[in-house]
Amino acid sequence: MADTTQNECVLGIDVGGTSIKAGLFTTDGKLVDVTKIPTGALVGEEAFSRVTEGLHGLVENCGREDGDVVAVGLDVPGPVDDQGRVGMLPNIQLDPEGLMAALAAKFPDSALAFVNDANAAALGELWQGSGKGFGSFVMVTLGTGVGGGVIVNGRLVSGAFGAGGEIGHITVEPNETLSCGCGRKGCLEQYASAKGLVRMYREQCAHLGLEAAKIEHATDTISVFEAYKAQDPAAVRAVGDMCDKLGLALAQISCVIDPAAYLIGGGVAGAFDLFGESLSTAFRSHCLATSAGAKILPCSLGNKAGMYGVAYAALQQRRVRA
Amino acid sequence: MADTTQNECVLGIDVGGTSIKAGLFTTDGKLVDVTKIPTGALVGEEAFSRVTEGLHGLVENCGREDGDVVAVGLDVPGPVDDQGRVGMLPNIQLDPEGLMAALAAKFPDSALAFVNDANAAALGELWQGSGKGFGSFVMVTLGTGVGGGVIVNGRLVSGAFGAGGEIGHITVEPNETLSCGCGRKGCLEQYASAKGLVRMYREQCAHLGLEAAKIEHATDTISVFEAYKAQDPAAVRAVGDMCDKLGLALAQISCVIDPAAYLIGGGVAGAFDLFGESLSTAFRSHCLATSAGAKILPCSLGNKAGMYGVAYAALQQRRVRA
């Protein structure tokens, strides 16, 4: 008899505002193929059909049948609690229950799971990336904002209210006068996001009376890091401040869960080679001596981490059900 | 045939500098009796014999035999890592391997576990105290210093380097000029420990030009809370500052692991009725809106929490081995 499990596969889906990106994985974590499906707002049967048809196409292209899909994971840009319930999603239009029902109808035998996008990235790195082999680590996503994902005792910490890993909102400057997007003041995100770094660079230019390098847009950290490489004094100070605030925040995390490692990802982490050492130095200057051995490493799955992570989460869900 | 398991019991031991306090528990968590054993420094066979003989006496007094002891847990005032290895203990003289060997010889069939004292208290509250039924909580011990214990997904988080739950060293005032005992500046412990509260009260008296209430010693928070009850303006400010700094620290923890609850214990928590509400208000003013539902409750096992917790940890150890 043929082995009916050899074609078993998992779908990992990044949910965006107007499209989704889906990857098909083997159950042992190899990415077979990826597709992007334009969807429009993820509300109503028409959009859900576009999703399921697009996924069907991916499955077929990979030489599988819909029945081979044993698990489907989705990541969403917002809070998901310990029970998998999706909270408020300010940036996209999505009816999570409706989408879940459409997927359950298309792949009736598969486990389904929603995961917050930053948490998903952490799970991805745990499964097949830089987090492999660490019992505990915190993934730090430096992008437009600052997100995170916490792994403790080999498991994701979503939090009782879904705010586990919201490390962008650790207070690193209680005396800040500017407000963060969350309405509070002095959050890490104000200094270590792409937007924060560009703002601090411009402030340093003004402060030092220097002409700023050409900055294309409010999150153009590439130009800031170019200036940093050229030893532009304002860029040196801005990147130094970013590392100091981020190091301080990581030191706070170590006082709570004392992880074995921090994995740095997101767009800003493209420049990890340039700032990784300053960040490690800043962390060690702020942390308890006990925790100074924590490793600070770049992530390795890039923007596919979330896709890996939701595939892994859905697979875990299936094992719990089995 | 008689049920040979009905007499099974667990020993929970608080390790101090010159004596130990041991409790005998049933395996379902009832405390049968407690004894205190003077030991001197816990180094060398003579001291270890005093320990094992004292424990033998406790077991006999409870109508059990040494063979009924299925697990022995010990809490120590210092770091213990995920593998149960004891780190540096600045305040007591203890040879952990030697003591472990003596206990293993006396109770050869029992599981043995060392646990950090603050972590032990958290486990005790999880087993039989205010933490029962919470999947995640953080225990906050306000005593001479500020300690903590973190429970996530129903398990203790000791940390990769043993610093899990070191919440007394969360930085709440990056611009502080005074140093904490750890050598860093602006740690929670500087404001929310007994010593911190007394210091802040005295500073407020000086600042306001008021005569301080009679303070018996550097950790006499009872007198500060008496003054607070009498609406002494310096005490009102000092307690307000303590709540604000503690609320800020708990808000940081919520951004990392977002626990369902915070349990407040330790000597200062004797006044929880007086400051609990201010603390909840401060926490909610500092935390992300998502986490505002976290409960802030007093602990319920008092200074027996550690004893309960190590008994529970040793029992868990036994289940892992079985």
Side-chain angles (χ1 to χ4, degrees), chain A residues 150 152-153 157 159-167 169-171 174-175 184 252 254-260 286-287 290-291 293-294, chain B residues 150 152 156-157 159-167 169-171 174-175 184 252 254-260 286-287 290-291 293-294:
Chain A
V150 174
V152 169
N153 295 328
V157 180
F161 309 99
E166 283 287 358
I167 63 167
H169 299 289
I170 290 176
T171 308
N175 305 311
R184 295 148 73 247
Q252 310 313 304
S254 285
C255 289
V256 181
I257 54 165
D258 192 28
H286 289 299
C287 74
T290 321
S291 302
Chain B
V150 174
V152 168
L156 180 69
V157 180
F161 310 98
E166 283 287 358
I167 64 169
H169 299 288
I170 291 177
T171 308
N175 305 311
R184 294 148 73 244
Q252 309 313 305
S254 285
C255 289
V256 182
I257 53 166
D258 192 29
H286 289 300
C287 75
T290 321
S291 303

Side-chain angles (χ1 to χ4, degrees), chain B residues 215-252:
Chain B
I215 302 285
E216 305 286 342
H217 49 82
T219 59
D220 176 18
T221 56
I222 292 176
S223 298
V224 177
F225 281 112
E226 284 299 323
Y228 178 80
K229 264 198 282 192
Q231 303 192 356
D232 172 330
V236 169
R237 285 201 187 188
V239 172
D241 280 355
M242 177 190 90
C243 289
D244 186 62
K245 294 287 197 287
L246 182 52
L248 177 60
L250 302 188
Q252 309 313 305

